[in-house]
Each structure stands twice: as C-alpha cells, then as structure tokens.
Amino acid sequence: MTKNKVILDFIDQYAKLMTPDNIVWIDGSEEQKQRLTEEAASTGEIIKLNEKLLPGCVYHRTAVNDVARVEHRTFICSRTKDGAGPTNNWMEPQEAYKMLDKIAEKAMTGRTMYIIPYSMGKVGSPFAKYGIELTDSIYVVLNMMIMTRVGTDVLDAIGKKGEFVKGVHSKVQLDLENRYICHFPEDNMIYSLNSGYGGNVLLGKKCFALRIASYQAWKQNWLAEHMLILGIEKPNGEIKYITGAFPSACGKTNLAMLIPPETYTKKGYKVTTVGDDIAWIRPGKDGRLYAINPENGFFGVAPGTNMKSNPNALASTRKNTIFTNVVYVPKTGTVWWEGLDKNPPTDAEDWKGNKWYGGMTDADGNIIKGANPNSRFTSPAINCPSISPEFENPEGVPISAIIFGGRRAKAAPLVYEAYNWQHGVFVGSIMASETTAAATGAVGVVRHDPMAMLPFCGYNMADYFAHWLAMGKKLSNPPKIFNVNWFRLDDNGNFIWPGFGDNMRVLDWILQRCEDVVDAVDTPIGYMPKPDDINLEGLDFTKDQLVSILDCDKDTWKQEAQEIENFYTTKFGDTLPKELYEELAALKKRLV
Ligand code: GTP
Ligand code: SPV
Ligand code: MN
C-alpha cells in the first residue's frame, strides 16, 4: 500500500508487540466497508438495522463500563510536567511507553489489526493533516470511515508531505483499571488501550484534532478549538460565520444545525452547518480568522434529538449511520432514545441488552431509561440537510463572531459581549459549566472549563491563554467575542429560555453587534442587549422573563470573581498571563 518507511516501521513495531493474527489495510472502498460490516454483524459486534427504514444503518453496544470519555485516565505525556501544565494528567513519556507496551503486549493475538490511513480536512488541501490509526476494532474502522476521510489517497498525500500522527488503539480486555488514553505531543503519537468508546478510540477526533492539534497550532500560529461553525445567510444573500465553544453535551450540534423561527425564515434567513464539534482556525492575509471543520461526520448526542429540537440532526441519522448505546427494537430493526418521540417501544432492549419497554420502572418505582444518557449517532456530514456549501472549502470560512457558553443554572446571563479581544480571552478563560454524561464522573457539578478545552488542551493551559492573547494582537480584523447561556433555570428547575431554534434570536443580536447597527447596555461584565433589541416575535415569552435572564447581579458576580481568582491562583499562580489578572482586577473594580 505504501513504500513510506516511517509508516512501515511504525506498523511493524506495533504488529510485533501486539501480535495480531492478520493485518488488513483499510482502503476506504465501499466493498471493503460492506465486508467488514458483514463480518462484525456475524460476530454480534454490530447489529444491522432495517434496510427499508434505516438503510445502511447499524447498532452497537459498548461494554457497560465503557460509555464515555475517561478524563482521569487521559494523559498528556510531554517531555516535562510543565509541558502538560496544571490542568492535565501527566506521565513521563518513556515511562508511559513502557507501561503501555506492557499492557499492549500480545493484545491482538487471535485478532486482526486494521490500519486506517485518514485525513483531518479534505485530502490534499493546505490545512489537511494526516493520521494512521492501528486498531483491533471493526466498530472503530466503521466510525472512522464516517468521521474522517479514509483511504489510499491519504497514503499518497502522506508520501508527499512526510508527516502524520501515529495512533495505536487496542480494546485489549476493556479493563477499566488498565484503560489509558495517552498523548505524546512531541512525538505526534496517540496510544489508547482498554476502551471501545467514542472519544477514547476514534483517535482522529479529540485525541488528534484537539489534543495533538492544539499543540501543533501553538507551535505553528493557529488554533485548534472545541467549536461548532455555522453560517447565517441573511435575506440579502450575505453569509456571516460564527464559531461557538461549549463544553461536551452543552449544545454545539444543536446550535450548528439550528432552524430559525418563522419570523426569520419568512424574511429569508437561513442557517448552514460547517461543523458541530471541532474548528481549526487560522489568520488570513486580510487580518481575519478563517475556520475549517476537520471532521467528515457527526458523533452526536442521541437523547433529546427529535423533529422539533433538531430536525437536521435527526435527518442526518436516517441512513448510513452507526447508533451506539441507544434502545434497540428487534421486531422492527429500529432504534429509539429518550426524547425522540412520545411513543417509546413496548417490546425492546435497552442499551445494556436487557428486555425494556417505555415507562419501565425499577423496584423503587423509578423510571429506567432505555438509552444511555451519552448514547450517540455517527452520521456522515453529507446527510445533513443544512450542510454548508463551504463545508469542504479548503480555505475555510471567515469568522465574524466567537461565542463561548456553558450550562449554568444561575449567574451567567443569556448573552453578553466582551469589550475587546483581550477581555474576550478573559471571558473564555472564566467559563464554567455543569458537568455532563459525556465524560465519566459526577454530572451537574459546576467546574471551570476554559474555552470548553479543559479536557482537550494538549499543552500547558497558561501557554494556551498566552497563545490566544498573542493571536489577537496579530489580527487587524478580529472577530467579536460573546458569552451565552441557554440553560438558566427558574425556581421550579425549568429552563427559562426556550433555546434550540429560538437561539437564532440571540445570534441575530450578535450579528447586529458585529455590524455595529445596534446599541447595548454597558454592565460590569460586558455589553448586554437592551431587552427591546432581542426579537421575541412569535414567541410565548414575556419581556419580564427576558429581563430576568439579561441580568448582572453584582453580589453573584462578586462571588464569581472570587471563584475565578481562586481558580487562577491555585491552578496557575504566576504562570497565568498578567493580562488575565488585569482583566480580573478590572472586573472587580467595575463590580464595586
Ligand atoms: P458533544 O458532542 O458532547 O460535544 O455535545 P454538544 O455540545 O454538541 O451538545 P448537543 O448539541 O448534542 O446537546 C447536548 C444536550 O443539550 C442535548 O440533550 C440537547 O437537547 C441539549 N440542548 C442543546 N441546545 C439546547 C438549548 O438551546 N436549550 C436547552 N435547554 N437544551 C439544549
Ligand atoms: C465530547 O465529549 O465532547 C464529544 C464526544 O464530542 S467524544 O467524541 O466522546 O469526545
Ligand atoms: Mn465535543
């Protein structure tokens, strides 16, 4: 398949260590995909779904102890501990290799090793980066064939460029105690053992396109971010692009595929999707930032996805999709999840494979959910009705606004705007959000998650902040920076803001601010909309309700400022860029 000696030596080294019975190159062809699908179906690794209702779709269950990213077992193995910084787990690289090699020894005996050459970004385009993942999982192969561009043309492209990211993955025994997701940024290497789940094993995604790529971006003057990219087409045909960084399971896919409310569609507004999870961003010659989506598919959260909340996502899942850990309905060969519709199946199997029906309760009378809260669909980007015509534009799309956002029951208002780039970096750095099921551990705990990159920054986060600050200084025409929060709760625990498609009303204000056509209220935390400037037409939502989430309560924010100071000083101390301490001091002064 290739004469590239670096590639061949890499494969040889790990084939000798993991001793697979067979080695199979993945060529990206439809025939090979069909063969592997049949093989995985014959062993029960996947279940083929109803060809009429869900053509080309399959179902997969992971091990019960393997349903999300494992942040406590994820390591940045940079040469020095400082290289990984205070927010990452670190292991000395040689020690890590030694330990991992021991776990991986003979792990593929009796199995096949698949070699996946893949590209992040369009093959041959200037921003594309290449990887080779070795894996013993057909499920991983099939997912990578949707999420990235896989095939022999990648080998040719690597041949010319010479550079690629090495990825070694084995399920080994799916042993939680020996599960490790290790990154060696200085070696362009990822080593993942004992998991079979999403972000732990689809090495092109979080491991490469964020952790390794953020390190590369730091060295090469660009940004690799946990961001969606969307386009808003205005009635005059002009399209403006916005990126948004929200933590895992906090609304990126939903915002990226938004369908505007009627008050906008009837005027001719339209939203198009460039990306839903990862953006690679570079400064252009014109002093603006340009973003590409390096992925080729969506690995989206299933629960809550329905015809009303996200019809574009649902449509994306109707063919050639892999469903993971949702409800399986054997009789019809279909799938279901909580929040899909109000008609749960009466005769089904839950994500663990147990008999299940809608409304089923446990001995204490509590509802048993059929789908895992982090169950997912893997769908080709081309399936998405709102996919942008610029999806494959190798130059990327110019960014007018960057949005940061989190899941906050209180404190953070619906939207506010940073004063300038430096203040915007501060706003990103102080992001906090309630944890979700996307990673193992407690759910609903507020934690600091700067730029939604806490679990994904492949180097010292203090250097990452400095890199962001430096990037702004190089841009003559930087995007404006905003913060949003769709998740404010009322006293009964209900979401106040309707969210989803109605988030367009906030995007509208953001665009108007970018175009300098609307005023704002100057508050201690930043510029906020005048309530009259958020379009509520056609919405059952009062001005009072709006005012209640366009607030900046000084006492709450004084506490918040104290919290930020604790985070800054205990995590980073004097390694944090002084500009961020200055912004914090300025915020405190405005709150007096
Ligand atoms: P990752 O793929 O983990 O990075 O997640 P994501 O950021 O793409 O999140 P996604 O869009 O899949 O949304 C996650 C959850 O948030 C789903 O249960 C959605 O229903 C819910 N959600 C998304 N947008 C909104 C919103 O505007 N309001 C409310 N209340 N919930 C939302
Ligand atoms: C996330 O957790 O942010 C995801 C899912 O997008 S995973 O691929 O598992 O990282
Ligand atoms: Mn994500």
Side-chain angles (χ1 to χ4, degrees):
M1 295 288 271
T2 178
K3 292 198 179 76
N4 184 315
K5 194 163 155 18
V6 185
I7 299 178
L8 295 174
D9 286 351
F10 164 59
I11 295 166
D12 199 44
Q13 178 186 348
Y14 287 95
K16 282 206 175 100
L17 175 72
M18 301 193 286
T19 59
D21 286 10
N22 303 298
I23 295 182
V24 171
W25 287 83
I26 301 303
D27 60 17
S29 69
E30 192 54 36
E31 302 82 74
Q32 191 183 40
K33 183 181 147 191
Q34 287 312 329
R35 256 198 329 274
L36 290 172
T37 302
E38 294 304 333
E39 188 182 331
S42 75
T43 62
E45 185 178 352
I46 59 171
I47 295 173
K48 289 168 74 179
L49 296 172
N50 187 316
E51 265 306 318
K52 278 216 184 77
L53 300 172
L54 295 165
C57 294
V58 301
Y59 175 74
H60 174 78
R61 287 187 184 105
T62 64
V64 173
N65 76 1
D66 190 25
V67 297
R69 286 182 292 101
V70 278
E71 295 181 3
H72 63 298
R73 310 205 64 97
T74 298
F75 291 79
I76 302 298
C77 306
S78 46
R79 267 167 224 154
T80 66
K81 190 168 193 304
D82 263 1
T87 58
N88 281 312
N89 302 312
W90 176 78
M91 234 187 291
E92 197 281 321
Q94 293 320 313
E95 256 173 51
Y97 280 125
K98 218 165 96 191
M99 179 199 66
L100 296 165
D101 282 352
K102 210 160 155 221
I103 298 170
E105 206 180 327
K106 301 200 169 63
M108 292 190 189
T109 304
R111 303 180 187 175
T112 297
M113 180 166 91
Y114 301 96
I115 303 169
I116 314 171
Y118 66 95
S119 175
M120 302 311 291
K122 200 177 167 188
V123 182
S125 77
F127 296 168
K129 290 191 172 284
Y130 308 118
I132 295 190
E133 174 166 355
L134 314 181
T135 180
D136 52 9
S137 159
I138 295 181
Y139 171 74
V140 166
V141 173
L142 297 176
N143 271 275
M144 287 292 283
M145 287 183 78
I146 296 172
M147 295 305 297
T148 73
R149 286 126 173 127
V150 168
T152 39
D153 53 343
V154 175
L155 292 171
D156 300 337
I158 297 175
K160 285 194 195 103
K161 211 166 171 176
E163 198 184 280
F164 67 97
V165 170
K166 298 171 191 162
V168 176
H169 166 247
S170 172
K171 294 181 285 190
V172 196
Q173 302 300 325
L174 298 177
D175 169 13
L176 190 54
E177 299 306 313
N178 280 305
R179 187 167 299 158
Y180 288 98
I181 322 297
C182 292
H183 308 70
F184 303 78
E186 287 113 339
D187 301 345
N188 274 338
M189 167 79 181
I190 304 156
Y191 208 154
S192 164
L193 297 175
N194 275 304
S195 174
Y197 177 79
N200 298 332
V201 300
L202 310 179
L203 300 186
K205 196 172 179 59
K206 296 303 174 27
C207 299
F208 178 171
L210 287 180
R211 297 196 190 96
I212 298 287
S214 62
Y215 172 83
Q216 296 176 334
W218 174 44
K219 297 284 169 187
Q220 300 162 4
N221 191 34
W222 51 285
L223 297 165
E225 299 297 329
H226 192 202
M227 287 181 181
L228 69 98
I229 312 166
L230 64 78
I232 300 181
E233 188 173 333
K234 300 199 295 179
N236 67 5
E238 193 185 7
I239 306 177
K240 293 278 167 80
Y241 295 93
I242 296 178
T243 65
F246 312 152
S248 302
C250 289
K252 288 183 301 301
T253 302
N254 277 274
L255 193 68
M257 298 181 188
L258 172 154
I259 294 181
E262 202 185 283
T263 165
Y264 288 94
T265 48
K266 71 174 189 242
K267 283 184 207 132
Y269 281 89
K270 207 175 122 190
V271 167
T272 53
T273 309
V274 182
D276 82 323
D277 198 49
I278 297 176
W280 285 358
I281 304 175
R282 286 161 209 268
K285 288 195 186 75
D286 57 359
R288 305 185 70 184
L289 283 179
Y290 285 77
I292 67 155
N293 169 14
E295 300 192 279
N296 202 26
F298 309 116
F299 186 60
V301 177
T305 305
N306 60 52
M307 261 324 275
K308 196 160 165 271
S309 66
N310 194 344
N312 283 320
L314 193 62
S316 307
T317 67
R318 297 298 93 178
K319 60 179 182 197
N320 302 327
T321 289
I322 301 170
F323 297 94
T324 303
N325 291 344
V326 298
V327 172
Y328 171 55
V329 191
K331 256 193 195 147
T332 50
T334 58
V335 290
W336 191 86
W337 51 78
E338 276 71 24
L340 172 65
D341 56 40
K342 296 211 163 74
N343 308 306
T346 50
D347 184 6
E349 293 173 7
D350 69 5
W351 68 274
K352 296 177 183 169
N354 299 322
K355 283 269 168 238
W356 184 87
Y357 53 89
M360 188 171 166
T361 51
D362 64 16
D364 301 326
N366 301 314
I367 289 276
I368 301 174
K369 285 190 172 167
N372 184 280
N374 193 36
S375 53
R376 300 256 169 180
F377 54 83
T378 317
S379 298
I382 47 160
N383 280 5
C384 181
S386 61
I387 196 74
S388 165
E390 302 297 312
F391 171 62
E392 293 221 296
N393 183 340
E395 304 302 327
V397 294
I399 302 307
S400 298
I402 293 175
I403 306 178
F404 294 118
R407 190 182 276 270
R408 294 296 298 272
K410 302 269 177 257
L414 179 64
V415 57
Y416 67 97
E417 178 191 338
Y419 298 121
N420 51 45
W421 181 273
Q422 177 173 307
H423 182 230
V425 175
F426 171 74
V427 167
S429 80
I430 67 169
M431 262 173 71
S433 193
E434 290 148 25
T435 49
T436 65
T440 56
V443 167
V445 182
V446 176
R447 71 166 183 185
H448 288 280
D449 187 351
M451 279 90 165
M453 282 290 279
L454 183 75
F456 307 120
C457 185
Y459 62 109
N460 192 316
M461 205 152 220
D463 292 326
Y464 170 79
F465 293 143
H467 179 45
W468 263 83
L469 290 165
M471 182 63 81
K473 295 208 174 85
K474 289 178 202 138
L475 301 172
S476 55
N477 197 357
K480 287 197 178 215
I481 298 178
F482 298 81
N483 190 274
V484 300
N485 178 21
W486 316 138
F487 299 95
R488 282 283 284 267
L489 297 182
D490 64 18
D491 295 337
N492 300 321
N494 299 313
F495 293 116
I496 299 173
W497 178 247
F500 300 99
D502 288 309
N503 292 331
M504 177 68 197
R505 300 168 192 275
V506 175
L507 298 183
D508 181 16
W509 182 79
I510 287 173
L511 273 196
Q512 291 183 55
R513 288 297 293 167
C514 293
E515 291 169 355
D516 235 345
V517 295
V518 68
D519 254 354
V521 186
D522 195 358
T523 80
I525 57 174
Y527 298 123
M528 259 191 238
K530 295 179 174 168
D532 280 335
D533 290 332
I534 298 286
N535 174 7
L536 296 181
E537 196 192 311
L539 192 60
D540 184 17
F541 192 74
T542 64
K543 184 84 76 56
D544 284 349
Q545 283 176 298
L546 179 63
V547 169
S548 79
I549 51 174
L550 285 177
D551 61 338
C552 167
D553 181 69
K554 279 198 178 177
D555 288 332
T556 307
W557 273 92
K558 277 181 190 162
Q559 276 176 35
E560 195 79 7
Q562 192 52 53
E563 223 342 272
I564 297 162
E565 180 160 344
N566 293 346
F567 175 61
Y568 275 5
T569 53
T570 56
K571 274 286 171 199
F572 301 101
D574 59 10
T575 66
L576 191 86
K578 67 172 190 336
E579 290 90 335
L580 297 182
Y581 280 120
E582 285 164 15
E583 289 294 340
L584 176 59
L587 169 66
K588 281 185 163 173
K589 220 165 133 194
R590 291 193 300 268
L591 285 167
V592 172

